[in-house]
Amino acid sequence: MTTGDVRSPIEPISVRIPDASRMTGLGRSTIYELIASGDIEAAKVGRATVIMVDSIRRFLTANRMQRRPRGTTASETSQEAN
């Protein structure tokens, strides 16, 4: 690499179970349950199970909780939406 050659880090397309657990804060068992239910995509490569990073992102985005303004309750927020 030359001094002017700056490369961006390579972002992985898949990670193994322990890495997925660290990335998400979810336990290994939960990761396996999400794979079994089809909520996140995984592949077997030899004996290793790898999880597709974009499927983790899609799952977490789809399950993102909406933030409520301070001082309001969930029932107040749902009544305002109606």
Side-chain angles (χ1 to χ4, degrees):
M1 181 167 18
T2 63
T3 55
D5 188 11
V6 178
R7 295 181 187 192
S8 59
I10 298 172
E11 190 171 319
I13 61 171
S14 65
V15 293
R16 294 183 72 169
I17 300 289
D19 295 324
S21 183
R22 279 192 294 277
M23 289 169 63
T24 62
L26 300 173
R28 282 184 19 180
S29 297
T30 302
I31 298 291
Y32 281 113
E33 289 170 9
L34 292 171
I35 293 168
S37 68
D39 287 325
I40 60 175
E41 298 172 51
K44 280 297 254 187
V45 180
R47 293 176 55 195
T49 301
V50 293
I51 300 169
M52 313 318 271
V53 172
D54 63 333
S55 99
I56 295 171
R57 286 195 176 108
R58 282 193 307 270
F59 173 77
L60 292 175
T61 299
N63 289 284
R64 179 179 285 168
M65 295 174 63
Q66 296 298 318
R67 188 172 178 192
R68 294 191 306 255
R70 284 185 184 233
T72 61
T73 64
S75 61
E76 291 172 336
T77 305
S78 65
Q79 288 174 357
E80 290 173 8
N82 293 330

